[in-house]
Amino acid sequence: MTDSHNRTIDYLRLSVTDRCNLRCIYCMPEKGVQWVPHGDILRFEEIVHLVRLFSDLGIRRVRLTGGEPLVREGILDLTAALCALPDINEIYLTTNGVRFAPMANQFRQAGVQGVNFSLDTLRPDTFRRITRTDQFAAARAGIDKALEAGFPSVKVNCVLMRGVNDGEAAALAALAKDAPLEVRFIEMMPIGCGKGYAPVPMETVYAALVKAFGEPHAFTAPLGSGPAVYVSFPAFQGHVGFISAVTHEFCTRCNRVRLTAEGYLKLCLHDPAGVDLRAPLRAGMDDAALTALLRRAIEQKPAHHHFTSRPAGKAGEARTMNAIGG
Ligand code: SAM
Ligand code: SF4
């Protein structure tokens, strides 16, 4: 379907939990996180029901996210049920990778088309500093396992922080030299704990990569439906992408909505606007009325985010990124 700004909305980011086995410093606090009560988290049959209604409105691609989607018990069963929906063409997964390797083949068999790994460093000590855990080896192994299992799309998402891991841009990009995957640098967004870190401008990252690898070719073939701009460096098997949500707004091409783990349809990453779907679903609202609710909400999708300026009197997003799903 199209929203009131004539954008085609065909992509749903589906958060299946707000829990996580890591505590990335820019995503959530180490302690004192207010978890969504278990009873408020959508059950699998509720998720599948809602995704079917989304598909009736033209959603064709779904990305499972969180929190960490792989800590949700039964995630493979949910994935298989979503893959079996007739009008959902593509299912993707975004994960920190720690639990991925032993489940890789089952995700592939279930029909998952691609996996995005979030990995911000190749140094175990820096991994400990960023994630407050010691699980670098498992996270790194997940990427190799995804390549071995033959997923059509494997991407590595990196968020750089000044003085923490910004010196690793070339080392991280080189993952795409050595293997057929896409490495994407994502600018830090001022959401939740991310407000405490200045973004490293993508121009700075790009300059460091040109110094290390030479001038790239622009790469315009589609490598997904997202906002990344890709380049290809000489001798690279894969590509390098840049996502600068803050300094280069790409809202005019936004194609997505988000469903949080507690069933809130969120229309824009950085705007609390949306509608609760859990209450009407649990109250027994019929499919026609639920679909009308979805349609009305999506039509109201905001024109653009307000990272750099917020209209007077308008509240910003109070959720942390683990509760949104990225
Ligand atoms: N746990 C999974 C993972 O890390 O891939 C999925 C959820 S996580 C919230 C999704 C993505 O959001 C990750 O790639 C993470 O790096 C990114 N993220 C979290 N906080 C961010 C922030 N403030 N700015 C930019 N990206 C952020
Ligand atoms: Fe967990 Fe992902 Fe947030 Fe890191 S970015 S704390 S892995 S939800």
Side-chain angles (χ1 to χ4, degrees):
M1 67 170 284
T2 50
D3 69 2
S4 59
H5 304 284
N6 214 24
R7 296 171 294 195
T8 299
I9 308 300
D10 59 4
Y11 174 43
L12 173 68
R13 291 184 67 99
L14 176 67
S15 174
V16 296
T17 180
D18 60 333
R19 271 67 165 177
C20 188
N21 48 348
L22 305 186
R23 292 285 181 279
C24 300
I25 51 178
Y26 54 80
C27 180
M28 63 164 121
E30 183 170 21
K31 295 201 173 81
V33 184
Q34 293 291 310
W35 304 116
V36 175
H38 278 290
D40 288 352
I41 300 236
L42 292 184
R43 298 186 289 270
F44 285 175
E45 63 273 19
E46 293 173 327
I47 294 176
V48 175
H49 186 163
L50 288 176
V51 173
R52 183 170 53 75
L53 299 184
F54 276 107
S55 76
D56 291 344
L57 288 176
I59 294 290
R60 294 289 172 263
R61 287 187 296 267
V62 175
R63 176 172 297 282
L64 300 172
T65 179
E68 172 50 35
L70 273 51
V71 304
R72 176 101 192 235
E73 209 173 311
I75 184 68
L76 279 162
D77 297 331
L78 174 66
T79 306
L82 294 172
C83 287
L85 288 173
D87 292 325
I88 297 297
N89 302 337
E90 295 160 30
I91 301 263
Y92 298 95
L93 179 66
T94 291
T95 174
N96 60 41
V98 169
R99 292 194 178 191
F100 180 77
M103 302 163 94
N105 290 330
Q106 287 160 288
F107 274 118
R108 184 74 193 104
Q109 278 153 19
V112 170
Q113 314 259 323
V115 188
N116 285 8
F117 292 93
S118 304
L119 186 69
D120 303 324
T121 175
L122 296 172
R123 298 174 47 129
D125 55 337
T126 307
F127 187 89
R128 192 178 310 119
R129 184 172 169 195
I130 295 174
T131 70
R132 302 178 173 116
T133 74
D134 241 338
Q135 309 196 67
F136 171 75
R140 177 69 188 82
I143 299 171
D144 289 340
K145 186 67 194 177
L147 292 166
E148 189 190 310
F151 286 91
S153 165
V154 177
K155 295 179 181 167
V156 180
N157 291 338
C158 315
V159 177
L160 296 180
M161 283 162 278
R162 219 171 287 157
V164 179
N165 60 345
D166 54 343
E168 284 192 77
L172 287 161
L175 291 171
K177 181 169 192 267
D178 303 330
L181 51 77
E182 328 304 338
V183 172
R184 307 187 315 166
F185 292 97
I186 301 180
E187 212 167 62
M188 179 74 69
M189 291 180 246
I191 293 185
C193 301
K195 287 178 192 151
Y197 299 90
V200 178
M202 286 299 120
E203 288 75 7
T204 309
V205 182
Y206 182 80
L209 300 188
V210 171
K211 195 167 167 212
F213 304 115
E215 283 294 334
H217 310 291
F219 192 81
T220 49
L223 284 172
S225 60
V229 175
Y230 286 96
V231 297
S232 177
F233 287 98
F236 270 49
Q237 298 184 52
H239 304 90
V240 178
F242 303 90
I243 302 181
S244 37
V246 182
T247 49
H248 298 283
E249 185 187 289
F250 38 69
C251 305
T252 51
R253 289 178 286 122
C254 188
N255 58 354
R256 60 200 58 194
V257 290
R258 293 170 165 82
L259 185 63
T260 69
E262 72 266 45
Y264 186 77
L265 169 60
K266 201 171 145 44
L267 302 166
C268 170
L269 177 61
H270 193 238
D271 192 314
V275 61
D276 171 39
L277 299 177
R278 187 188 67 224
L281 181 68
R282 290 189 178 171
M285 184 183 270
D286 67 31
D287 283 358
L290 275 170
T291 307
L293 184 65
L294 287 181
R295 184 187 294 281
R296 273 198 310 276
I298 294 173
E299 275 167 2
Q300 299 308 313
K301 186 173 156 59
H304 53 87
H305 65 59
H306 299 288
F307 280 135
T308 46
S309 67
R310 182 169 331 134
K314 195 166 167 22
E317 176 55 88
R319 293 175 177 84
T320 48
M321 204 64 125
N322 65 298
I324 297 172

